[in-house]
Amino acid sequence: MSVLVRSGLGPLCAVGRAAIPSIWRGKYFSSGNEPAENPVTPMLRHLIYKIKSTGPITVAEYMKEVLTNPAKGYYVCRDMLGEKGDFITSPEISQIFGELLGIWFISEWMATGKSTAFQLVELGPGRGTLVGDILRVFTQLGSVLKNCDISVHLVEVSQKLSEIQALTLTEEKVPLERNAGSPVYMKGVTKSGIPVSWYRDLHDVPKGYSFYLAHEFFDVLPVHKFQKTPQGWREVFVDIDPQVSDKLRFVLAPSATPAEAFIQGFCGHKLHDVLIAPGTADLTADVDFSYLRRMAQGKVASLGPIKQHTFLKNMGIDVRLKVLLDKSNEPSVRQQLLQGYDMLMNPKKMGERFNFFALLPHQRLQGGRHRRNARQSKPFASLVAGFSELAWQ
Ligand code: SAH
């Protein structure tokens, strides 16, 4: 099992991508798209009703409701990604991003002994663009993977986005099986013949040799917020503003709350505008990678975080860009490829803002039985692609 968190080779096709807007997720705490006034959205009405019934709610509960409430959540009922959406993510910017991740999975599959089967599990696949690009590389390198049974497992709470993912991956070549009441709520076959299944909960994904991918996923999971007071750390809650009807405000818990047991330093986010028009804008929190590492409790090894700029450089982004540029005579495609590269790599844009982090079995870093080059003098960790230069074995 390997987990790649972020948050080529093969046929030389340039895949159409949207023109690049300047807003990407993670740049701001919120999407940058919030209305200035505070319209009474159905979500705001729901939250006010909830708080009136049971009292102020934690920021984690607020995020959960606003983002993934089954009826009104921001992610559940809209397509917020892409050129016309609220924000854009790396796979939507350039095909090269997903292609290099496709190479990463193949490189890891080879380095860990070329298992006869594996599951590719993606958490929060958005529009399915990333997994689509990865699968295109798998098809292109079909001769390498020919004896391996691959299946795709997507964990997605949004009905709307799961439909878009299905369209991206299957192009409706084979009808989908749907069963809203089952943990596997949708099943299909990708256009390249790989079985794909959808789940709402990671626990429902079958056990098996798996690669997990979480791209801009952990930063949408609910977080608790705390503030230091003379009495010690106090949890921040969301309450109804007594001065203004239909408005929410932050309040401090008067005494310790259960979540305080989990405090590890808190860095102050700009939270002032996230209570406006809930349900209409994204909420994200910076991912604490050291917390992810501690959660693993030494059961697995970790690599990173390293900057997106360095990871993609190590994966050979420059070579891939050159190949695509050399193959394309269309000025608009060339311009789009160059702009996409700049957005992903420029330290002032996404290059230094985003990080890659991997959790891997210990033996992967120690060499163990899969170690191929006994005379290799560098630590084995340096052979994990992306965290060091890609070296095909
Ligand atoms: N990985 C994509 C999309 C990131 S947006 C990309 O990079 O383009 C976050 C994604 O996570 C969306 O698909 C959203 O619907 C999904 N999501 C949010 N909370 C979730 C949860 N608790 N469980 C499963 N999916 C979730």
Short mmCIF file of all heavy atoms in Angstrom, two decimals, residues 8-64:
data_model
loop_
_atom_site.label_atom_id
_atom_site.label_comp_id
_atom_site.label_asym_id
_atom_site.label_seq_id
_atom_site.Cartn_x
_atom_site.Cartn_y
_atom_site.Cartn_z
N GLY A 8 5.48 12.70 -20.36
CA GLY A 8 5.78 11.36 -20.24
C GLY A 8 6.02 10.68 -21.54
O GLY A 8 6.40 11.12 -22.60
N LEU A 9 5.49 9.86 -20.76
CA LEU A 9 5.80 8.94 -21.86
C LEU A 9 4.53 8.64 -22.64
O LEU A 9 3.49 9.22 -22.37
CB LEU A 9 6.36 7.67 -21.25
CG LEU A 9 7.61 7.95 -20.43
CD1 LEU A 9 8.01 6.73 -19.66
CD2 LEU A 9 8.73 8.41 -21.33
N GLY A 10 4.62 7.74 -23.56
CA GLY A 10 3.42 7.30 -24.26
C GLY A 10 3.00 8.23 -25.36
O GLY A 10 3.74 9.14 -25.74
N PRO A 11 1.79 8.03 -25.89
CA PRO A 11 1.32 8.80 -27.01
C PRO A 11 1.38 10.29 -26.72
O PRO A 11 1.17 10.73 -25.59
CB PRO A 11 -0.14 8.36 -27.19
CG PRO A 11 -0.24 7.07 -26.51
CD PRO A 11 0.82 7.05 -25.46
N LEU A 12 1.64 11.01 -27.72
CA LEU A 12 2.02 12.39 -27.51
C LEU A 12 0.87 13.32 -27.79
O LEU A 12 0.98 14.25 -28.57
CB LEU A 12 3.22 12.68 -28.39
CG LEU A 12 4.31 11.64 -28.17
CD1 LEU A 12 5.36 11.71 -29.25
CD2 LEU A 12 4.94 11.81 -26.81
N CYS A 13 -0.27 13.04 -27.18
CA CYS A 13 -1.41 13.89 -27.49
C CYS A 13 -1.50 15.00 -26.45
O CYS A 13 -1.22 14.82 -25.28
CB CYS A 13 -2.68 13.07 -27.48
SG CYS A 13 -2.93 12.16 -25.98
N ALA A 14 -1.87 16.17 -26.93
CA ALA A 14 -2.13 17.27 -26.00
C ALA A 14 -3.63 17.29 -25.76
O ALA A 14 -4.43 17.32 -26.68
CB ALA A 14 -1.68 18.58 -26.61
N VAL A 15 -4.02 17.21 -24.48
CA VAL A 15 -5.44 17.14 -24.14
C VAL A 15 -5.93 18.55 -23.83
O VAL A 15 -5.27 19.29 -23.13
CB VAL A 15 -5.62 16.23 -22.90
CG1 VAL A 15 -7.07 16.17 -22.49
CG2 VAL A 15 -5.08 14.84 -23.19
N GLY A 16 -7.10 18.88 -24.36
CA GLY A 16 -7.64 20.24 -24.15
C GLY A 16 -7.88 20.53 -22.69
O GLY A 16 -8.39 19.70 -21.96
N ARG A 17 -7.49 21.70 -22.23
CA ARG A 17 -7.75 22.12 -20.86
C ARG A 17 -8.32 23.53 -20.90
O ARG A 17 -8.12 24.27 -21.85
CB ARG A 17 -6.46 22.15 -20.03
CG ARG A 17 -5.97 20.79 -19.59
CD ARG A 17 -6.91 20.16 -18.57
NE ARG A 17 -6.33 18.97 -17.98
CZ ARG A 17 -6.46 17.73 -18.47
NH1 ARG A 17 -7.16 17.52 -19.54
NH2 ARG A 17 -5.89 16.72 -17.87
N ALA A 18 -8.98 23.87 -19.81
CA ALA A 18 -9.60 25.20 -19.72
C ALA A 18 -8.55 26.29 -19.73
O ALA A 18 -7.40 26.07 -19.36
CB ALA A 18 -10.39 25.27 -18.42
N ALA A 19 -8.95 27.48 -20.16
CA ALA A 19 -8.10 28.65 -19.95
C ALA A 19 -7.93 28.81 -18.45
O ALA A 19 -8.79 28.40 -17.67
CB ALA A 19 -8.77 29.89 -20.52
N ILE A 20 -6.82 29.40 -18.03
CA ILE A 20 -6.49 29.35 -16.61
C ILE A 20 -6.92 30.62 -15.88
O ILE A 20 -6.36 31.67 -16.10
CB ILE A 20 -4.98 29.14 -16.43
CG1 ILE A 20 -4.59 27.83 -17.14
CG2 ILE A 20 -4.59 29.10 -14.98
CD1 ILE A 20 -3.12 27.69 -17.36
N PRO A 21 -7.89 30.52 -15.00
CA PRO A 21 -8.23 31.68 -14.19
C PRO A 21 -7.20 31.83 -13.07
O PRO A 21 -6.39 30.94 -12.85
CB PRO A 21 -9.60 31.32 -13.61
CG PRO A 21 -9.61 29.84 -13.57
CD PRO A 21 -8.70 29.35 -14.66
N SER A 22 -7.24 32.95 -12.38
CA SER A 22 -6.17 33.19 -11.41
C SER A 22 -6.48 32.65 -10.02
O SER A 22 -5.66 32.73 -9.14
CB SER A 22 -5.89 34.68 -11.34
OG SER A 22 -7.09 35.32 -10.96
N ILE A 23 -7.65 32.10 -9.81
CA ILE A 23 -7.99 31.63 -8.46
C ILE A 23 -7.79 30.13 -8.37
O ILE A 23 -8.32 29.38 -9.17
CB ILE A 23 -9.45 31.95 -8.12
CG1 ILE A 23 -9.61 33.45 -8.01
CG2 ILE A 23 -9.86 31.30 -6.82
CD1 ILE A 23 -11.04 33.90 -7.88
N TRP A 24 -6.97 29.71 -7.45
CA TRP A 24 -6.87 28.29 -7.20
C TRP A 24 -7.10 28.04 -5.74
O TRP A 24 -6.89 28.90 -4.90
CB TRP A 24 -5.53 27.73 -7.65
CG TRP A 24 -4.35 28.26 -6.92
CD1 TRP A 24 -3.80 27.74 -5.78
CD2 TRP A 24 -3.57 29.41 -7.26
NE1 TRP A 24 -2.74 28.49 -5.40
CE2 TRP A 24 -2.56 29.51 -6.28
CE3 TRP A 24 -3.61 30.33 -8.30
CZ2 TRP A 24 -1.62 30.51 -6.31
CZ3 TRP A 24 -2.68 31.33 -8.31
CH2 TRP A 24 -1.69 31.42 -7.34
N ARG A 25 -7.57 26.82 -5.44
CA ARG A 25 -7.90 26.49 -4.07
C ARG A 25 -6.66 26.48 -3.23
O ARG A 25 -5.61 26.04 -3.66
CB ARG A 25 -8.54 25.12 -4.03
CG ARG A 25 -9.96 25.21 -3.70
CD ARG A 25 -10.35 24.54 -2.44
NE ARG A 25 -9.52 23.43 -2.08
CZ ARG A 25 -9.92 22.19 -2.18
NH1 ARG A 25 -11.07 21.91 -2.67
NH2 ARG A 25 -9.13 21.22 -1.77
N GLY A 26 -6.75 26.95 -2.02
CA GLY A 26 -5.61 26.93 -1.15
C GLY A 26 -4.92 28.28 -1.10
O GLY A 26 -4.17 28.57 -0.21
N LYS A 27 -5.19 29.11 -2.12
CA LYS A 27 -4.58 30.44 -2.08
C LYS A 27 -5.22 31.27 -0.97
O LYS A 27 -4.58 32.02 -0.28
CB LYS A 27 -4.76 31.13 -3.42
CG LYS A 27 -4.06 32.47 -3.48
CD LYS A 27 -4.24 33.11 -4.81
CE LYS A 27 -3.57 34.49 -4.83
NZ LYS A 27 -3.98 35.29 -5.96
N TYR A 28 -6.50 31.11 -0.86
CA TYR A 28 -7.24 31.80 0.18
C TYR A 28 -7.92 30.76 1.06
O TYR A 28 -8.14 29.65 0.63
CB TYR A 28 -8.33 32.68 -0.43
CG TYR A 28 -7.81 33.62 -1.46
CD1 TYR A 28 -8.05 33.39 -2.81
CD2 TYR A 28 -7.06 34.71 -1.08
CE1 TYR A 28 -7.55 34.25 -3.77
CE2 TYR A 28 -6.57 35.58 -2.03
CZ TYR A 28 -6.82 35.34 -3.37
OH TYR A 28 -6.33 36.19 -4.30
N PHE A 29 -8.31 31.16 2.22
CA PHE A 29 -9.06 30.23 3.06
C PHE A 29 -10.39 29.91 2.40
O PHE A 29 -10.87 28.80 2.41
CB PHE A 29 -9.30 30.84 4.45
CG PHE A 29 -9.92 29.86 5.39
CD1 PHE A 29 -9.12 29.03 6.14
CD2 PHE A 29 -11.30 29.75 5.51
CE1 PHE A 29 -9.68 28.10 7.00
CE2 PHE A 29 -11.86 28.84 6.36
CZ PHE A 29 -11.04 28.01 7.11
N SER A 30 -10.96 30.89 1.77
CA SER A 30 -12.21 30.67 1.06
C SER A 30 -11.97 30.85 -0.43
O SER A 30 -10.86 31.12 -0.85
CB SER A 30 -13.27 31.64 1.55
OG SER A 30 -12.78 32.95 1.44
N SER A 31 -12.98 30.68 -1.24
CA SER A 31 -12.78 30.62 -2.68
C SER A 31 -12.43 31.94 -3.31
O SER A 31 -11.98 31.99 -4.44
CB SER A 31 -14.05 30.11 -3.35
OG SER A 31 -15.02 31.12 -3.29
N GLY A 32 -12.62 33.02 -2.63
CA GLY A 32 -12.40 34.32 -3.25
C GLY A 32 -13.62 34.76 -4.03
O GLY A 32 -13.61 35.77 -4.71
N ASN A 33 -14.68 34.00 -3.91
CA ASN A 33 -15.87 34.24 -4.72
C ASN A 33 -17.07 34.65 -3.87
O ASN A 33 -18.19 34.64 -4.35
CB ASN A 33 -16.23 32.93 -5.44
CG ASN A 33 -16.52 33.16 -6.88
OD1 ASN A 33 -16.19 34.22 -7.39
ND2 ASN A 33 -17.13 32.18 -7.52
N GLU A 34 -16.79 34.96 -2.61
CA GLU A 34 -17.92 35.22 -1.72
C GLU A 34 -18.61 36.52 -2.07
O GLU A 34 -17.97 37.50 -2.38
CB GLU A 34 -17.47 35.35 -0.25
CG GLU A 34 -16.58 34.28 0.24
CD GLU A 34 -15.14 34.58 -0.09
OE1 GLU A 34 -14.87 35.40 -0.96
OE2 GLU A 34 -14.29 33.96 0.52
N PRO A 35 -19.93 36.53 -2.00
CA PRO A 35 -20.63 37.78 -2.20
C PRO A 35 -20.35 38.73 -1.04
O PRO A 35 -20.10 38.28 0.07
CB PRO A 35 -22.11 37.37 -2.21
CG PRO A 35 -22.17 35.98 -1.70
CD PRO A 35 -20.81 35.39 -1.72
N ALA A 36 -20.41 40.05 -1.30
CA ALA A 36 -20.11 41.00 -0.24
C ALA A 36 -21.23 41.02 0.80
O ALA A 36 -20.99 41.11 1.99
CB ALA A 36 -19.94 42.39 -0.85
N GLU A 37 -22.47 40.91 0.32
CA GLU A 37 -23.57 40.91 1.29
C GLU A 37 -23.78 39.48 1.78
O GLU A 37 -23.06 38.58 1.39
CB GLU A 37 -24.84 41.52 0.68
CG GLU A 37 -25.56 40.65 -0.31
CD GLU A 37 -24.94 40.69 -1.71
OE1 GLU A 37 -23.81 41.14 -1.86
OE2 GLU A 37 -25.61 40.21 -2.63
N ASN A 38 -24.77 39.31 2.65
CA ASN A 38 -24.97 37.99 3.24
C ASN A 38 -26.36 37.47 2.90
O ASN A 38 -27.25 37.54 3.73
CB ASN A 38 -24.77 38.10 4.77
CG ASN A 38 -24.85 36.75 5.45
OD1 ASN A 38 -24.65 35.71 4.82
ND2 ASN A 38 -25.17 36.77 6.73
N PRO A 39 -26.55 36.95 1.68
CA PRO A 39 -27.89 36.47 1.35
C PRO A 39 -28.28 35.30 2.24
O PRO A 39 -27.43 34.53 2.66
CB PRO A 39 -27.75 36.01 -0.11
CG PRO A 39 -26.31 35.83 -0.35
CD PRO A 39 -25.57 36.72 0.61
N VAL A 40 -29.57 35.22 2.53
CA VAL A 40 -30.03 34.13 3.40
C VAL A 40 -30.18 32.88 2.54
O VAL A 40 -31.20 32.64 1.91
CB VAL A 40 -31.34 34.50 4.10
CG1 VAL A 40 -31.77 33.39 5.04
CG2 VAL A 40 -31.16 35.79 4.88
N THR A 41 -29.08 32.11 2.47
CA THR A 41 -29.08 30.90 1.66
C THR A 41 -29.84 29.80 2.39
O THR A 41 -30.01 29.87 3.62
CB THR A 41 -27.63 30.42 1.45
OG1 THR A 41 -27.04 30.22 2.74
CG2 THR A 41 -26.81 31.44 0.67
N PRO A 42 -30.28 28.76 1.67
CA PRO A 42 -30.93 27.62 2.36
C PRO A 42 -30.01 27.04 3.42
O PRO A 42 -30.46 26.63 4.49
CB PRO A 42 -31.15 26.61 1.22
CG PRO A 42 -31.15 27.41 -0.04
CD PRO A 42 -30.26 28.59 0.21
N MET A 43 -28.69 27.05 3.17
CA MET A 43 -27.76 26.52 4.17
C MET A 43 -27.75 27.38 5.42
O MET A 43 -27.73 26.87 6.55
CB MET A 43 -26.34 26.45 3.55
CG MET A 43 -25.25 26.06 4.52
SD MET A 43 -25.52 24.49 5.36
CE MET A 43 -25.22 23.34 4.03
N LEU A 44 -27.79 28.71 5.24
CA LEU A 44 -27.81 29.61 6.40
C LEU A 44 -29.07 29.36 7.23
O LEU A 44 -29.01 29.25 8.45
CB LEU A 44 -27.73 31.08 5.95
CG LEU A 44 -27.73 32.11 7.07
CD1 LEU A 44 -26.60 31.87 8.06
CD2 LEU A 44 -27.63 33.54 6.51
N ARG A 45 -30.20 29.21 6.54
CA ARG A 45 -31.46 28.93 7.27
C ARG A 45 -31.33 27.62 8.06
O ARG A 45 -31.72 27.54 9.21
CB ARG A 45 -32.62 28.83 6.27
CG ARG A 45 -33.36 30.16 6.10
CD ARG A 45 -34.74 29.96 5.49
NE ARG A 45 -34.67 29.38 4.16
CZ ARG A 45 -34.48 30.07 3.05
NH1 ARG A 45 -34.38 31.38 3.11
NH2 ARG A 45 -34.42 29.47 1.88
N HIS A 46 -30.73 26.63 7.41
CA HIS A 46 -30.57 25.32 8.05
C HIS A 46 -29.67 25.44 9.28
O HIS A 46 -29.98 24.90 10.35
CB HIS A 46 -29.95 24.35 7.02
CG HIS A 46 -29.38 23.11 7.60
ND1 HIS A 46 -30.17 22.08 8.08
CD2 HIS A 46 -28.09 22.71 7.80
CE1 HIS A 46 -29.39 21.11 8.55
NE2 HIS A 46 -28.13 21.47 8.38
N LEU A 47 -28.56 26.21 9.16
CA LEU A 47 -27.63 26.35 10.28
C LEU A 47 -28.27 27.10 11.44
O LEU A 47 -28.09 26.74 12.61
CB LEU A 47 -26.35 27.07 9.82
CG LEU A 47 -25.44 26.25 8.89
CD1 LEU A 47 -24.40 27.15 8.23
CD2 LEU A 47 -24.75 25.12 9.67
N ILE A 48 -29.03 28.15 11.10
CA ILE A 48 -29.68 28.93 12.16
C ILE A 48 -30.68 28.04 12.92
O ILE A 48 -30.72 28.03 14.15
CB ILE A 48 -30.36 30.19 11.56
CG1 ILE A 48 -29.26 31.19 11.17
CG2 ILE A 48 -31.36 30.82 12.52
CD1 ILE A 48 -29.73 32.42 10.44
N TYR A 49 -31.42 27.23 12.16
CA TYR A 49 -32.38 26.32 12.78
C TYR A 49 -31.64 25.33 13.70
O TYR A 49 -32.03 25.10 14.84
CB TYR A 49 -33.15 25.57 11.68
CG TYR A 49 -34.13 24.58 12.21
CD1 TYR A 49 -35.35 24.99 12.75
CD2 TYR A 49 -33.82 23.21 12.20
CE1 TYR A 49 -36.24 24.06 13.26
CE2 TYR A 49 -34.71 22.28 12.71
CZ TYR A 49 -35.92 22.71 13.24
OH TYR A 49 -36.80 21.80 13.75
N LYS A 50 -30.53 24.82 13.19
CA LYS A 50 -29.76 23.83 13.95
C LYS A 50 -29.21 24.45 15.25
O LYS A 50 -29.32 23.86 16.32
CB LYS A 50 -28.60 23.35 13.06
CG LYS A 50 -27.77 22.20 13.62
CD LYS A 50 -26.71 21.81 12.58
CE LYS A 50 -25.64 20.92 13.16
NZ LYS A 50 -26.03 19.53 13.30
N ILE A 51 -28.63 25.66 15.13
CA ILE A 51 -28.03 26.30 16.31
C ILE A 51 -29.12 26.68 17.32
O ILE A 51 -28.95 26.53 18.53
CB ILE A 51 -27.18 27.53 15.88
CG1 ILE A 51 -25.98 27.06 15.05
CG2 ILE A 51 -26.71 28.32 17.09
CD1 ILE A 51 -25.20 28.15 14.36
N LYS A 52 -30.29 27.14 16.78
CA LYS A 52 -31.39 27.46 17.70
C LYS A 52 -31.84 26.21 18.46
O LYS A 52 -32.24 26.28 19.62
CB LYS A 52 -32.58 28.05 16.92
CG LYS A 52 -32.43 29.55 16.68
CD LYS A 52 -33.68 30.11 16.03
CE LYS A 52 -33.53 31.61 15.79
NZ LYS A 52 -34.41 32.08 14.73
N SER A 53 -31.81 25.06 17.79
CA SER A 53 -32.30 23.83 18.43
C SER A 53 -31.30 23.26 19.42
O SER A 53 -31.66 22.82 20.50
CB SER A 53 -32.60 22.72 17.42
OG SER A 53 -33.11 23.24 16.25
N THR A 54 -30.00 23.25 19.03
CA THR A 54 -29.06 22.50 19.88
C THR A 54 -27.90 23.34 20.40
O THR A 54 -27.01 22.83 21.05
CB THR A 54 -28.47 21.30 19.10
OG1 THR A 54 -27.86 21.80 17.90
CG2 THR A 54 -29.53 20.29 18.73
N GLY A 55 -27.86 24.63 20.07
CA GLY A 55 -26.79 25.49 20.58
C GLY A 55 -25.65 25.64 19.58
O GLY A 55 -25.65 25.01 18.51
N PRO A 56 -24.68 26.51 19.92
CA PRO A 56 -23.56 26.79 19.01
C PRO A 56 -22.86 25.50 18.56
O PRO A 56 -22.83 24.51 19.30
CB PRO A 56 -22.61 27.64 19.87
CG PRO A 56 -23.48 28.23 20.92
CD PRO A 56 -24.58 27.25 21.18
N ILE A 57 -22.32 25.54 17.36
CA ILE A 57 -21.68 24.33 16.80
C ILE A 57 -20.18 24.58 16.63
O ILE A 57 -19.74 25.72 16.49
CB ILE A 57 -22.30 23.94 15.43
CG1 ILE A 57 -22.26 25.12 14.44
CG2 ILE A 57 -23.72 23.44 15.60
CD1 ILE A 57 -22.70 24.75 13.03
N THR A 58 -19.41 23.50 16.63
CA THR A 58 -17.95 23.65 16.44
C THR A 58 -17.68 24.05 14.99
O THR A 58 -18.53 23.85 14.11
CB THR A 58 -17.23 22.32 16.71
OG1 THR A 58 -17.69 21.35 15.76
CG2 THR A 58 -17.49 21.80 18.12
N VAL A 59 -16.48 24.58 14.74
CA VAL A 59 -16.10 24.93 13.37
C VAL A 59 -16.09 23.66 12.50
O VAL A 59 -16.45 23.67 11.33
CB VAL A 59 -14.72 25.63 13.35
CG1 VAL A 59 -14.19 25.80 11.94
CG2 VAL A 59 -14.83 26.99 14.04
N ALA A 60 -15.70 22.53 13.10
CA ALA A 60 -15.69 21.26 12.37
C ALA A 60 -17.10 20.90 11.90
O ALA A 60 -17.31 20.50 10.76
CB ALA A 60 -15.11 20.15 13.24
N GLU A 61 -18.06 21.08 12.80
CA GLU A 61 -19.46 20.78 12.43
C GLU A 61 -19.94 21.74 11.35
O GLU A 61 -20.65 21.37 10.41
CB GLU A 61 -20.34 20.94 13.67
CG GLU A 61 -21.09 19.70 14.05
CD GLU A 61 -21.89 19.95 15.32
OE1 GLU A 61 -21.26 20.30 16.36
OE2 GLU A 61 -23.10 19.82 15.28
N TYR A 62 -19.54 23.00 11.51
CA TYR A 62 -19.91 24.03 10.52
C TYR A 62 -19.36 23.64 9.14
O TYR A 62 -20.08 23.65 8.14
CB TYR A 62 -19.36 25.38 10.98
CG TYR A 62 -19.62 26.51 10.00
CD1 TYR A 62 -20.87 27.12 9.93
CD2 TYR A 62 -18.63 26.96 9.13
CE1 TYR A 62 -21.12 28.15 9.03
CE2 TYR A 62 -18.86 27.99 8.23
CZ TYR A 62 -20.12 28.57 8.19
OH TYR A 62 -20.37 29.58 7.29
N MET A 63 -18.07 23.26 9.10
CA MET A 63 -17.47 22.88 7.80
C MET A 63 -18.16 21.66 7.21
O MET A 63 -18.44 21.59 6.01
CB MET A 63 -15.97 22.56 7.98
CG MET A 63 -15.09 23.77 8.14
SD MET A 63 -13.34 23.32 8.27
CE MET A 63 -12.87 23.12 6.55
N LYS A 64 -18.44 20.70 8.08
CA LYS A 64 -19.07 19.47 7.61
C LYS A 64 -20.42 19.78 6.96
O LYS A 64 -20.74 19.31 5.87
CB LYS A 64 -19.23 18.50 8.79
CG LYS A 64 -19.75 17.15 8.42
CD LYS A 64 -19.46 16.15 9.54
CE LYS A 64 -20.09 14.82 9.19
NZ LYS A 64 -21.26 14.51 9.99
#
